[in-house]
Amino acid sequence: MYGTIAGWRAYALARGDNKPTDAEAGIATAALTRASDYIRFRYVANLLPGYGVDFTPAGYTLPLVEEAAYIAASFELATPGFFSKTYTSSEQKVLTEVKGIKWSVTGNSSKTYAAMPASTLIEALFEPYITDPDASGFLLLSIGSRGCS
């Protein structure tokens, strides 16, 4: 688990959210644990080389993963299981016509994390420090026995 219940409660209270403080310890711990799982699976797994779970960006007071877990924990406290939903591609749609009842696909469902709920705050926190598994890459190869020089 990233962070502590006391740390999360202080973080939330500083932002005007007293729900973590009012929550029973067991419920709060479960929410922070689920939030930490989400951060570990989605963001820590994609950290760029050189950045670890204890990385604290300049100007920040908390390690990146801890602050992100606190943000995610508030979502998890309000809606248990918020970050662990199961979707099918057909569920990623929006009603676009009523008369003929027509649905249109929203977003790009082919992306690695397209079906995973996301927080814009958490995305912004991690954006400079993670790799995009769907980004185009390049590969240099050499033909012959001498290799590249």
Side-chain angles (χ1 to χ4, degrees):
M1 183 168 70
Y2 300 125
T4 64
I5 297 301
W8 172 34
R9 288 175 168 162
Y11 181 87
L13 279 174
R15 286 152 183 82
D17 181 5
N18 64 344
K19 290 180 183 108
T21 300
D22 295 342
E24 179 187 310
I27 292 172
T29 300
L32 185 55
T33 300
R34 288 189 308 271
S36 295
D37 289 346
Y38 168 70
I39 297 303
R40 181 169 48 102
F41 298 141
R42 169 62 181 92
Y43 297 100
V44 172
N46 293 304
L47 283 171
L48 292 167
Y51 297 107
V53 296
D54 58 346
F55 170 67
T56 304
Y60 285 58
T61 57
L62 294 171
L64 191 66
V65 297
E66 187 174 325
E67 184 169 2
Y70 292 161
I71 293 168
S74 291
F75 286 107
E76 282 291 331
L77 182 62
T79 308
F82 181 83
F83 288 110
S84 58
K85 297 185 183 306
T86 302
Y87 293 98
T88 63
S89 296
S90 64
E91 291 177 301
Q92 295 178 313
K93 60 188 175 184
V94 66
L95 184 61
T96 55
E97 183 180 319
V98 175
K99 186 178 177 184
I101 304 183
K102 183 177 179 182
W103 296 88
S104 297
V105 174
T106 58
N108 183 349
S109 64
S110 67
K111 299 283 186 180
T112 301
Y113 298 109
M116 185 178 277
S119 160
T120 55
L121 288 175
I122 297 171
E123 289 283 321
L125 274 174
F126 278 101
E127 196 277 326
Y129 309 108
I130 59 172
T131 59
D132 178 358
D134 299 312
S136 298
F138 62 91
L139 175 66
L140 293 175
L141 295 174
S142 173
I143 299 175
S145 61
R146 295 180 55 175
C148 296
S149 345

